[in-house]
Amino acid sequence: GAGVSQSPSNKVTEKGKDVELRCDPISGHTALYWYRQSLGQGLEFLIYFQGNSAPDKSGLPSDRFSAERTGGSVSTLTIQRTQQEDSAVYLCASSLYGGPTDTQYFGPGTRLTVL
Amino acid sequence: AQTVTQSQPEMSVQEAETVTLSCTYDTSESDYYLFWYKQPPSRQMILVIRQEAYKQQNATENRFSVNFQKAAKSFSLKISDSQLGDAAMYFCAYRSANSGYALNFGKGTSLLVTP
């Protein structure tokens, strides 16, 4: 079946503009995660959605970052008033139930460049 | 918070040889999961192998095996009979059995495979 997909693949924007990044999880997966991978760094957790529960936003770096998940499926990560330090690859992952034994399946990421 | 350390930014191995990538972690928990993910230039993170902390037996997946030393908080990955397709970034990751969602990643090791 289809894996996790993300769009766009690459995004170049100017400082101060807003951007939206999209994630389509694997069909039937109830858990969805966003991570950020800055140059030369590991992945940094941003936000987690599990079914209809309130999302865990503890990893969001500032209030310029927000995310929503509509209908328990597609998720959008929004970054307002982008800054150059927001440049990174944004990876989305989904898993079946969100439990600790679940395998997280990753999408190919969106490379965001803020000029 | 749990921290994951990969002390080797880069490693090189000749085709058909064996290489070991190191990972250490810091946690006060007794129950958790450890992972090795591979990230090729396509950016898509691929699960290589997983280890449950309660299992004493080291996990093995074909040419990939781990050396899990719980007391030492060490989790190394051994790649046998290295192939050109193994060239990638390798990330070690920790996941709590209690919180159950986000993965904590190390900064990665870049593996070069030479013919």
Side-chain angles (χ1 to χ4, degrees), chain A residues 4 9-10 33 35 37 40-43 45 48 56 89 91 98-104 106-111, chain B residues 33 35 37 39 42-47 50 52 89 91 95-108:
Chain A
V4 177
S9 178
N10 293 282
Y33 316 76
Y35 295 87
Q37 183 177 21
Q41 302 294 315
L43 278 71
F45 166 73
Y48 160 73
D56 177 357
V89 174
L91 291 159
T101 60
D102 268 9
T103 296
Q104 293 187 19
F106 284 79
T110 294
R111 181 179 298 280
Chain B
Y33 300 83
F35 306 83
Y37 275 87
Q39 186 181 40
S42 67
R43 297 198 306 245
Q44 188 130 19
M45 299 282 282
I46 301 164
L47 179 64
R50 181 175 88 175
E52 293 85 351
M89 283 290 292
F91 291 95
R95 190 180 199 187
S96 170
N98 301 316
S99 58
Y101 38 83
L103 291 161
N104 292 321
F105 286 89
K107 292 188 177 182

Side-chain angles (χ1 to χ4, degrees), chain A residues 26 28-32 49-52 69 72 94-98 102:
Chain A
I26 293 172
H29 280 194
T30 63
L32 187 147
F49 295 90
Q50 170 54 56
N52 296 321
R69 189 178 184 193
S94 71
S95 71
L96 191 55
Y97 299 118
D102 268 9

Side-chain angles (χ1 to χ4, degrees), chain B residues 46-112:
Chain B
I46 301 164
L47 179 64
V48 175
I49 199 165
R50 181 175 88 175
Q51 175 78 43
E52 293 85 351
Y54 62 83
K55 289 186 177 179
Q56 291 186 340
Q57 186 172 5
N58 289 323
T60 299
E61 288 287 343
N62 300 315
R63 297 182 296 107
F64 299 88
S65 62
V66 299
N67 183 4
F68 173 48
Q69 301 289 328
K70 191 171 184 179
K73 297 179 183 175
S74 171
F75 182 61
S76 61
L77 174 70
K78 185 171 84 170
I79 306 173
S80 304
D81 186 25
S82 298
Q83 301 176 358
L84 294 177
D86 295 334
M89 283 290 292
Y90 286 82
F91 291 95
C92 178
Y94 172 103
R95 190 180 199 187
S96 170
N98 301 316
S99 58
Y101 38 83
L103 291 161
N104 292 321
F105 286 89
K107 292 188 177 182
T109 296
S110 177
L111 179 64
L112 175 67

Side-chain angles (χ1 to χ4, degrees), chain A residues 21-23 25 32 34 49 67-70 73-77:
Chain A
L21 312 180
R22 177 186 168 106
C23 172
L32 187 147
W34 283 98
F49 295 90
E68 63 177 18
R69 189 178 184 193
T70 55
S73 182
V74 173
S75 177
T76 302
L77 177 69

